[in-house]
Amino acid sequence: MNREEKKNIIDSISVKLKEGNSIYFTKIHGLDSVQTASLRRLCFEGGVSLLVVKNRLLRKAMEGQKDKDFSDFFDLLKENTSLMISESSKAPAKIIKDFLEKNGTETPLLKGAHIDNEIYLGHEKLDLLSNLKSREELIGDVLGLLQSPIKNLVSALSSGSNNLTGLLKTLADNNEGLKKITKEEAPVAEEAPVAE
């Protein structure tokens, strides 16, 4: 590979690192051709881009990033490294987890992940990452929580509109009755004699 080809590869990786919201660093070395094809198919179906890259070229692409800091991942660039890049924060983690369960293999192995400028290191973070909610899911949850009391109030008011009208009428009638009693029929309290 000549210098120009290396530069093109580094530039291509740099663009993917810059544009990717969720970047997983994995080890897939050790899978046979059938397993590799199965993993690639799962990634394609899940909207995840799977790239096998040379560590040296990946490091150069990572060092060239201005908006993202990948320095914590430099120590992970040993053996073979594959990138799984996705718009969804949990899609690559779910693919890895499902693949491991179905195939009973030790790979793919999660080395680390860079998600929305947060850093996750180590395979033990896989469960956490597979349960992450996307920004859209979190916004939906918050909106649902905010709408719930409003919906309950509107529902109570609309279902009890007849009751509310009756209640207001009863209160008004009682209020008029109370006014009559206090003005016309209210008993006068006797004054207690004052001790001399």
PDB file of all heavy atoms in Angstrom, residues 27-52:
ATOM      1  N   LYS A  27     -13.323  -6.283  18.748  1.00  0.00           N
ATOM      2  CA  LYS A  27     -12.384  -7.302  18.257  1.00  0.00           C
ATOM      3  C   LYS A  27     -13.229  -8.423  17.687  1.00  0.00           C
ATOM      4  O   LYS A  27     -14.030  -9.028  18.409  1.00  0.00           O
ATOM      5  CB  LYS A  27     -11.522  -7.814  19.410  1.00  0.00           C
ATOM      6  CG  LYS A  27     -10.625  -8.964  19.025  1.00  0.00           C
ATOM      7  CD  LYS A  27      -9.983  -9.584  20.240  1.00  0.00           C
ATOM      8  CE  LYS A  27      -9.326 -10.880  19.830  1.00  0.00           C
ATOM      9  NZ  LYS A  27      -9.041 -11.734  20.957  1.00  0.00           N
ATOM     10  N   ILE A  28     -13.085  -8.689  16.387  1.00  0.00           N
ATOM     11  CA  ILE A  28     -13.833  -9.795  15.788  1.00  0.00           C
ATOM     12  C   ILE A  28     -12.903 -10.895  15.283  1.00  0.00           C
ATOM     13  O   ILE A  28     -13.350 -11.864  14.680  1.00  0.00           O
ATOM     14  CB  ILE A  28     -14.766  -9.321  14.649  1.00  0.00           C
ATOM     15  CG1 ILE A  28     -13.994  -8.750  13.471  1.00  0.00           C
ATOM     16  CG2 ILE A  28     -15.781  -8.323  15.157  1.00  0.00           C
ATOM     17  CD1 ILE A  28     -14.849  -8.501  12.232  1.00  0.00           C
ATOM     18  N   HIS A  29     -11.609 -10.739  15.548  1.00  0.00           N
ATOM     19  CA  HIS A  29     -10.631 -11.741  15.125  1.00  0.00           C
ATOM     20  C   HIS A  29     -10.958 -13.084  15.780  1.00  0.00           C
ATOM     21  O   HIS A  29     -11.275 -13.156  16.951  1.00  0.00           O
ATOM     22  CB  HIS A  29      -9.221 -11.301  15.512  1.00  0.00           C
ATOM     23  CG  HIS A  29      -8.160 -12.262  15.100  1.00  0.00           C
ATOM     24  ND1 HIS A  29      -7.800 -12.424  13.797  1.00  0.00           N
ATOM     25  CD2 HIS A  29      -7.399 -13.115  15.828  1.00  0.00           C
ATOM     26  CE1 HIS A  29      -6.843 -13.350  13.726  1.00  0.00           C
ATOM     27  NE2 HIS A  29      -6.588 -13.779  14.954  1.00  0.00           N
ATOM     28  N   GLY A  30     -10.913 -14.149  14.996  1.00  0.00           N
ATOM     29  CA  GLY A  30     -11.195 -15.477  15.517  1.00  0.00           C
ATOM     30  C   GLY A  30     -12.492 -16.054  14.982  1.00  0.00           C
ATOM     31  O   GLY A  30     -12.759 -17.241  15.160  1.00  0.00           O
ATOM     32  N   LEU A  31     -13.298 -15.222  14.331  1.00  0.00           N
ATOM     33  CA  LEU A  31     -14.532 -15.732  13.723  1.00  0.00           C
ATOM     34  C   LEU A  31     -14.193 -16.385  12.392  1.00  0.00           C
ATOM     35  O   LEU A  31     -13.340 -15.893  11.652  1.00  0.00           O
ATOM     36  CB  LEU A  31     -15.529 -14.591  13.492  1.00  0.00           C
ATOM     37  CG  LEU A  31     -16.038 -13.846  14.726  1.00  0.00           C
ATOM     38  CD1 LEU A  31     -16.968 -12.715  14.313  1.00  0.00           C
ATOM     39  CD2 LEU A  31     -16.760 -14.794  15.673  1.00  0.00           C
ATOM     40  N   ASP A  32     -14.861 -17.487  12.082  1.00  0.00           N
ATOM     41  CA  ASP A  32     -14.650 -18.096  10.765  1.00  0.00           C
ATOM     42  C   ASP A  32     -15.455 -17.314   9.717  1.00  0.00           C
ATOM     43  O   ASP A  32     -16.180 -16.370  10.038  1.00  0.00           O
ATOM     44  CB  ASP A  32     -15.004 -19.585  10.773  1.00  0.00           C
ATOM     45  CG  ASP A  32     -16.454 -19.868  11.099  1.00  0.00           C
ATOM     46  OD1 ASP A  32     -17.328 -19.032  10.788  1.00  0.00           O
ATOM     47  OD2 ASP A  32     -16.736 -20.947  11.653  1.00  0.00           O
ATOM     48  N   SER A  33     -15.334 -17.703   8.473  1.00  0.00           N
ATOM     49  CA  SER A  33     -15.960 -16.942   7.379  1.00  0.00           C
ATOM     50  C   SER A  33     -17.486 -16.925   7.482  1.00  0.00           C
ATOM     51  O   SER A  33     -18.123 -15.918   7.189  1.00  0.00           O
ATOM     52  CB  SER A  33     -15.526 -17.492   6.029  1.00  0.00           C
ATOM     53  OG  SER A  33     -15.896 -18.853   5.906  1.00  0.00           O
ATOM     54  N   VAL A  34     -18.083 -18.029   7.913  1.00  0.00           N
ATOM     55  CA  VAL A  34     -19.540 -18.091   8.044  1.00  0.00           C
ATOM     56  C   VAL A  34     -20.004 -17.160   9.172  1.00  0.00           C
ATOM     57  O   VAL A  34     -20.982 -16.418   9.019  1.00  0.00           O
ATOM     58  CB  VAL A  34     -20.003 -19.545   8.320  1.00  0.00           C
ATOM     59  CG1 VAL A  34     -21.489 -19.606   8.614  1.00  0.00           C
ATOM     60  CG2 VAL A  34     -19.638 -20.448   7.147  1.00  0.00           C
ATOM     61  N   GLN A  35     -19.307 -17.197  10.289  1.00  0.00           N
ATOM     62  CA  GLN A  35     -19.654 -16.324  11.408  1.00  0.00           C
ATOM     63  C   GLN A  35     -19.460 -14.847  11.053  1.00  0.00           C
ATOM     64  O   GLN A  35     -20.278 -14.002  11.408  1.00  0.00           O
ATOM     65  CB  GLN A  35     -18.809 -16.681  12.639  1.00  0.00           C
ATOM     66  CG  GLN A  35     -19.159 -18.034  13.230  1.00  0.00           C
ATOM     67  CD  GLN A  35     -18.152 -18.476  14.280  1.00  0.00           C
ATOM     68  OE1 GLN A  35     -16.969 -18.133  14.212  1.00  0.00           O
ATOM     69  NE2 GLN A  35     -18.633 -19.256  15.249  1.00  0.00           N
ATOM     70  N   THR A  36     -18.379 -14.554  10.334  1.00  0.00           N
ATOM     71  CA  THR A  36     -18.120 -13.173   9.911  1.00  0.00           C
ATOM     72  C   THR A  36     -19.223 -12.682   8.980  1.00  0.00           C
ATOM     73  O   THR A  36     -19.714 -11.561   9.120  1.00  0.00           O
ATOM     74  CB  THR A  36     -16.743 -13.056   9.227  1.00  0.00           C
ATOM     75  OG1 THR A  36     -15.736 -13.536  10.124  1.00  0.00           O
ATOM     76  CG2 THR A  36     -16.435 -11.627   8.838  1.00  0.00           C
ATOM     77  N   ALA A  37     -19.623 -13.533   8.047  1.00  0.00           N
ATOM     78  CA  ALA A  37     -20.713 -13.162   7.129  1.00  0.00           C
ATOM     79  C   ALA A  37     -22.012 -12.954   7.900  1.00  0.00           C
ATOM     80  O   ALA A  37     -22.777 -12.015   7.613  1.00  0.00           O
ATOM     81  CB  ALA A  37     -20.893 -14.244   6.064  1.00  0.00           C
ATOM     82  N   SER A  38     -22.263 -13.782   8.895  1.00  0.00           N
ATOM     83  CA  SER A  38     -23.468 -13.645   9.722  1.00  0.00           C
ATOM     84  C   SER A  38     -23.435 -12.329  10.499  1.00  0.00           C
ATOM     85  O   SER A  38     -24.443 -11.620  10.584  1.00  0.00           O
ATOM     86  CB  SER A  38     -23.560 -14.830  10.681  1.00  0.00           C
ATOM     87  OG  SER A  38     -24.624 -14.659  11.567  1.00  0.00           O
ATOM     88  N   LEU A  39     -22.280 -11.992  11.057  1.00  0.00           N
ATOM     89  CA  LEU A  39     -22.141 -10.734  11.797  1.00  0.00           C
ATOM     90  C   LEU A  39     -22.340  -9.539  10.866  1.00  0.00           C
ATOM     91  O   LEU A  39     -23.039  -8.588  11.206  1.00  0.00           O
ATOM     92  CB  LEU A  39     -20.771 -10.656  12.474  1.00  0.00           C
ATOM     93  CG  LEU A  39     -20.484  -9.375  13.258  1.00  0.00           C
ATOM     94  CD1 LEU A  39     -21.479  -9.201  14.403  1.00  0.00           C
ATOM     95  CD2 LEU A  39     -19.052  -9.382  13.783  1.00  0.00           C
ATOM     96  N   ARG A  40     -21.756  -9.607   9.688  1.00  0.00           N
ATOM     97  CA  ARG A  40     -21.926  -8.508   8.714  1.00  0.00           C
ATOM     98  C   ARG A  40     -23.398  -8.344   8.327  1.00  0.00           C
ATOM     99  O   ARG A  40     -23.885  -7.230   8.190  1.00  0.00           O
ATOM    100  CB  ARG A  40     -21.071  -8.755   7.476  1.00  0.00           C
ATOM    101  CG  ARG A  40     -19.596  -8.532   7.709  1.00  0.00           C
ATOM    102  CD  ARG A  40     -18.802  -8.606   6.402  1.00  0.00           C
ATOM    103  NE  ARG A  40     -17.400  -8.418   6.624  1.00  0.00           N
ATOM    104  CZ  ARG A  40     -16.800  -7.233   6.767  1.00  0.00           C
ATOM    105  NH1 ARG A  40     -17.502  -6.139   6.730  1.00  0.00           N
ATOM    106  NH2 ARG A  40     -15.501  -7.166   6.950  1.00  0.00           N
ATOM    107  N   ARG A  41     -24.097  -9.462   8.163  1.00  0.00           N
ATOM    108  CA  ARG A  41     -25.518  -9.412   7.805  1.00  0.00           C
ATOM    109  C   ARG A  41     -26.326  -8.757   8.930  1.00  0.00           C
ATOM    110  O   ARG A  41     -27.179  -7.909   8.689  1.00  0.00           O
ATOM    111  CB  ARG A  41     -26.053 -10.813   7.511  1.00  0.00           C
ATOM    112  CG  ARG A  41     -27.473 -10.823   6.943  1.00  0.00           C
ATOM    113  CD  ARG A  41     -28.001 -12.213   6.585  1.00  0.00           C
ATOM    114  NE  ARG A  41     -27.033 -13.149   6.072  1.00  0.00           N
ATOM    115  CZ  ARG A  41     -26.482 -14.153   6.775  1.00  0.00           C
ATOM    116  NH1 ARG A  41     -26.814 -14.345   8.041  1.00  0.00           N
ATOM    117  NH2 ARG A  41     -25.608 -14.965   6.233  1.00  0.00           N
ATOM    118  N   LEU A  42     -26.045  -9.144  10.179  1.00  0.00           N
ATOM    119  CA  LEU A  42     -26.731  -8.543  11.327  1.00  0.00           C
ATOM    120  C   LEU A  42     -26.476  -7.031  11.400  1.00  0.00           C
ATOM    121  O   LEU A  42     -27.387  -6.256  11.682  1.00  0.00           O
ATOM    122  CB  LEU A  42     -26.266  -9.195  12.630  1.00  0.00           C
ATOM    123  CG  LEU A  42     -26.782 -10.583  12.936  1.00  0.00           C
ATOM    124  CD1 LEU A  42     -26.090 -11.145  14.182  1.00  0.00           C
ATOM    125  CD2 LEU A  42     -28.284 -10.564  13.147  1.00  0.00           C
ATOM    126  N   CYS A  43     -25.240  -6.650  11.133  1.00  0.00           N
ATOM    127  CA  CYS A  43     -24.901  -5.222  11.147  1.00  0.00           C
ATOM    128  C   CYS A  43     -25.657  -4.485  10.043  1.00  0.00           C
ATOM    129  O   CYS A  43     -26.231  -3.416  10.290  1.00  0.00           O
ATOM    130  CB  CYS A  43     -23.397  -5.024  10.975  1.00  0.00           C
ATOM    131  SG  CYS A  43     -22.434  -5.487  12.435  1.00  0.00           S
ATOM    132  N   PHE A  44     -25.684  -5.051   8.864  1.00  0.00           N
ATOM    133  CA  PHE A  44     -26.383  -4.417   7.748  1.00  0.00           C
ATOM    134  C   PHE A  44     -27.868  -4.255   8.060  1.00  0.00           C
ATOM    135  O   PHE A  44     -28.449  -3.190   7.865  1.00  0.00           O
ATOM    136  CB  PHE A  44     -26.191  -5.242   6.464  1.00  0.00           C
ATOM    137  CG  PHE A  44     -26.914  -4.683   5.280  1.00  0.00           C
ATOM    138  CD1 PHE A  44     -26.425  -3.567   4.618  1.00  0.00           C
ATOM    139  CD2 PHE A  44     -28.099  -5.259   4.840  1.00  0.00           C
ATOM    140  CE1 PHE A  44     -27.106  -3.046   3.527  1.00  0.00           C
ATOM    141  CE2 PHE A  44     -28.785  -4.737   3.756  1.00  0.00           C
ATOM    142  CZ  PHE A  44     -28.287  -3.627   3.100  1.00  0.00           C
ATOM    143  N   GLU A  45     -28.482  -5.319   8.584  1.00  0.00           N
ATOM    144  CA  GLU A  45     -29.905  -5.280   8.922  1.00  0.00           C
ATOM    145  C   GLU A  45     -30.196  -4.302  10.065  1.00  0.00           C
ATOM    146  O   GLU A  45     -31.268  -3.707  10.126  1.00  0.00           O
ATOM    147  CB  GLU A  45     -30.405  -6.681   9.308  1.00  0.00           C
ATOM    148  CG  GLU A  45     -30.443  -7.641   8.133  1.00  0.00           C
ATOM    149  CD  GLU A  45     -30.661  -9.093   8.551  1.00  0.00           C
ATOM    150  OE1 GLU A  45     -30.738  -9.377   9.776  1.00  0.00           O
ATOM    151  OE2 GLU A  45     -30.746  -9.955   7.649  1.00  0.00           O
ATOM    152  N   GLY A  46     -29.232  -4.107  10.957  1.00  0.00           N
ATOM    153  CA  GLY A  46     -29.415  -3.214  12.094  1.00  0.00           C
ATOM    154  C   GLY A  46     -28.980  -1.778  11.842  1.00  0.00           C
ATOM    155  O   GLY A  46     -28.986  -0.963  12.756  1.00  0.00           O
ATOM    156  N   GLY A  47     -28.564  -1.484  10.614  1.00  0.00           N
ATOM    157  CA  GLY A  47     -28.137  -0.121  10.291  1.00  0.00           C
ATOM    158  C   GLY A  47     -26.786   0.251  10.889  1.00  0.00           C
ATOM    159  O   GLY A  47     -26.517   1.407  11.185  1.00  0.00           O
ATOM    160  N   VAL A  48     -25.936  -0.757  11.050  1.00  0.00           N
ATOM    161  CA  VAL A  48     -24.612  -0.538  11.632  1.00  0.00           C
ATOM    162  C   VAL A  48     -23.558  -0.791  10.562  1.00  0.00           C
ATOM    163  O   VAL A  48     -23.599  -1.802   9.864  1.00  0.00           O
ATOM    164  CB  VAL A  48     -24.379  -1.489  12.835  1.00  0.00           C
ATOM    165  CG1 VAL A  48     -22.969  -1.352  13.377  1.00  0.00           C
ATOM    166  CG2 VAL A  48     -25.406  -1.228  13.918  1.00  0.00           C
ATOM    167  N   SER A  49     -22.636   0.142  10.449  1.00  0.00           N
ATOM    168  CA  SER A  49     -21.538  -0.003   9.497  1.00  0.00           C
ATOM    169  C   SER A  49     -20.380  -0.713  10.194  1.00  0.00           C
ATOM    170  O   SER A  49     -19.920  -0.273  11.247  1.00  0.00           O
ATOM    171  CB  SER A  49     -21.111   1.390   9.019  1.00  0.00           C
ATOM    172  OG  SER A  49     -19.992   1.303   8.194  1.00  0.00           O
ATOM    173  N   LEU A  50     -19.928  -1.825   9.626  1.00  0.00           N
ATOM    174  CA  LEU A  50     -18.829  -2.601  10.209  1.00  0.00           C
ATOM    175  C   LEU A  50     -17.589  -2.413   9.343  1.00  0.00           C
ATOM    176  O   LEU A  50     -17.609  -2.711   8.148  1.00  0.00           O
ATOM    177  CB  LEU A  50     -19.210  -4.081  10.300  1.00  0.00           C
ATOM    178  CG  LEU A  50     -18.128  -5.035  10.809  1.00  0.00           C
ATOM    179  CD1 LEU A  50     -17.766  -4.729  12.251  1.00  0.00           C
ATOM    180  CD2 LEU A  50     -18.586  -6.483  10.680  1.00  0.00           C
ATOM    181  N   LEU A  51     -16.514  -1.909   9.948  1.00  0.00           N
ATOM    182  CA  LEU A  51     -15.257  -1.676   9.231  1.00  0.00           C
ATOM    183  C   LEU A  51     -14.119  -2.387   9.944  1.00  0.00           C
ATOM    184  O   LEU A  51     -13.957  -2.234  11.152  1.00  0.00           O
ATOM    185  CB  LEU A  51     -14.922  -0.182   9.200  1.00  0.00           C
ATOM    186  CG  LEU A  51     -15.947   0.777   8.634  1.00  0.00           C
ATOM    187  CD1 LEU A  51     -15.560   2.202   8.964  1.00  0.00           C
ATOM    188  CD2 LEU A  51     -16.030   0.594   7.142  1.00  0.00           C
ATOM    189  N   VAL A  52     -13.334  -3.136   9.192  1.00  0.00           N
ATOM    190  CA  VAL A  52     -12.128  -3.730   9.737  1.00  0.00           C
ATOM    191  C   VAL A  52     -10.986  -2.825   9.283  1.00  0.00           C
ATOM    192  O   VAL A  52     -10.825  -2.571   8.091  1.00  0.00           O
ATOM    193  CB  VAL A  52     -11.914  -5.170   9.231  1.00  0.00           C
ATOM    194  CG1 VAL A  52     -10.637  -5.755   9.795  1.00  0.00           C
ATOM    195  CG2 VAL A  52     -13.108  -6.040   9.602  1.00  0.00           C
TER     196      VAL A  52
END
